[in-house]
Amino acid sequence: MPLDPGAQRVRDLIREAARPPLHTLTPTEARAVSAASRPVLQPDPPPVAFVEDLTCPGPAGAICLRRYRGLGTDPAAPLPCLLFLHGGGWVIGDLDSHDQVCRALANHLGACVIAVDYRLAPEHVFPAAVEDCAAALRFVVAESAALGLDGSRIAVGGDSAGGNLAAVLALMGRDGAVPAPGFQMLLYPVADLAANTPSYLRCIEGYPLTAATMRWFIDHYAPDAAQRTDWRGSPLRAASLAGLPPAFVMTCGHDPLADEGIAYAERLDEEGVHVAHLHVADQMHAYLTMGRFIPASDLTLRQAAAALRLHWETAAA
């Protein structure tokens, strides 16, 4: 399907600005380029009822978190919570890169969102990000009362690399390594570090995420190729997906990750997991953080939030 006009405008802006592909930069340079693009691409962050920065213990020191409560929520009521893991190929991204997305989700959910600033590669390679996200999940569940949360309604979610980490936490929760989340929100997730599906051949140049850029991310995150078959990096390679919590999986057509995300949703369905799969055929990777030009970004966030709200309401009934 042809690319959405707003997404095409973003591609045009990237070309007009002569922005170098991320895979031609050092990680430090890529982080700076990504940060500079935020005010251009992202809408103004919406107000929320409450936001604060805090920390939790981690395997390599304190992990920074950011807690949001959506507009209209009762300040005295314990809220269900989405633990959100940001995208950026495990190399770029932080609490600020996804602040607007987390605020929107908190408002659309009418709940709490807690974002995790996990360690990044190449300074901290696989499985450092997994370990930090697992520590954050353990903390959120253990301290749910103090954080104003309903500890029986904790979900995990994220976009791209964050979707990968959320899927891994769901697998860990099923197997008892972390508290089991009740839902997984996977937004154009990385599901297999092999990076060899046909959709990689469709996204060669001119996109925010190309096949070469994705492989650059993977090389930094998992430089030991033997680690790439580990299900903690490639959840699609887990022996079984049975028994996982319900999922919302979003994929998009102009994305090297499209095929592996579709395959993950199909496996969830085949192995008895309740899954809602949304395929946005006219969109490209990373559009959720480009809402100033792509109105569909907020629509997708509303759809993801609606799926999670329905799960929470059903679970509470």
Side-chain angles (χ1 to χ4, degrees):
M1 180 176 289
L3 194 63
D4 168 81
Q8 183 58 55
R9 179 57 183 145
V10 171
R11 290 188 69 191
D12 293 342
L13 285 172
I14 292 172
R15 185 184 67 255
E16 292 162 8
R19 194 185 90 170
L22 294 184
H23 63 269
T24 66
L25 306 175
T26 67
T28 299
E29 291 168 340
R31 290 166 190 159
V33 166
S34 177
S37 71
R38 292 173 201 163
V40 177
L41 298 176
Q42 296 188 15
D44 294 335
V48 293
F50 175 85
V51 60
E52 70 164 349
D53 290 341
L54 63 155
T55 62
C56 74
I63 301 168
C64 293
L65 309 174
R66 185 169 292 167
R67 177 167 66 114
Y68 307 83
R69 290 174 72 96
L71 283 176
T73 57
D74 181 347
L79 297 180
C81 177
L82 170 66
L83 184 75
F84 188 86
L85 314 171
H86 68 78
W90 312 276
V91 175
I92 62 178
D94 51 31
L95 296 179
D96 291 333
S97 67
H98 286 65
D99 179 69
Q100 183 268 327
V101 167
C102 289
R103 287 169 175 266
L105 283 170
N107 288 340
H108 297 334
L109 287 167
C112 179
V113 172
I114 296 182
V116 182
D117 195 22
Y118 54 85
R119 287 174 289 165
L120 298 177
E123 296 88 347
H124 307 282
V125 298
F126 171 86
V130 175
E131 294 170 347
D132 282 3
C133 294
L137 177 58
R138 293 186 188 105
F139 171 80
V140 165
V141 173
E143 300 298 324
S144 57
L147 294 169
L149 308 178
D150 176 353
S152 68
R153 293 190 288 171
I154 306 294
V156 292
D159 65 318
S160 195
N164 168 276
L165 294 166
V168 171
L169 288 185
L171 283 159
M172 294 175 70
R174 179 200 63 184
D175 297 340
V178 296
F183 189 91
Q184 48 184 328
M185 180 189 292
L186 313 180
L187 307 171
Y188 36 61
V190 184
D192 191 347
L193 299 183
N196 61 4
T197 61
S199 57
Y200 269 78
L201 302 177
R202 298 195 296 268
C203 300
I204 301 300
E205 61 181 348
Y207 289 96
L209 182 69
T210 64
T213 301
M214 191 62 221
R215 292 187 177 110
W216 180 85
F217 283 137
I218 293 169
D219 286 344
H220 283 305
Y221 179 54
D224 180 356
Q227 294 178 318
R228 299 178 190 180
T229 58
D230 188 318
W231 61 264
R232 294 173 301 163
S234 297
L236 186 58
R237 294 176 179 261
S240 171
L241 303 185
L244 288 176
F248 177 89
V249 181
M250 183 274 282
T251 55
C252 54
H254 298 256
D255 182 359
L257 306 180
D259 289 349
E260 64 201 69
I262 292 168
Y264 199 72
E266 289 176 345
R267 266 198 69 190
L268 289 170
D269 180 56
E270 291 165 0
E271 297 183 40
V273 178
H274 180 77
V275 57
H277 176 209
L278 172 66
H279 183 66
V280 189
D282 66 346
Q283 282 300 341
M284 63 186 182
H285 194 84
Y287 78 97
L288 295 178
T289 51
M290 300 174 179
R292 193 175 290 276
F293 291 90
I294 306 176
S297 63
D298 192 61
L299 173 60
T300 300
L301 292 176
R302 288 178 182 273
Q303 290 171 301
L308 178 49
R309 276 202 326 271
L310 178 62
H311 167 74
W312 279 335
E313 292 165 3
T314 303

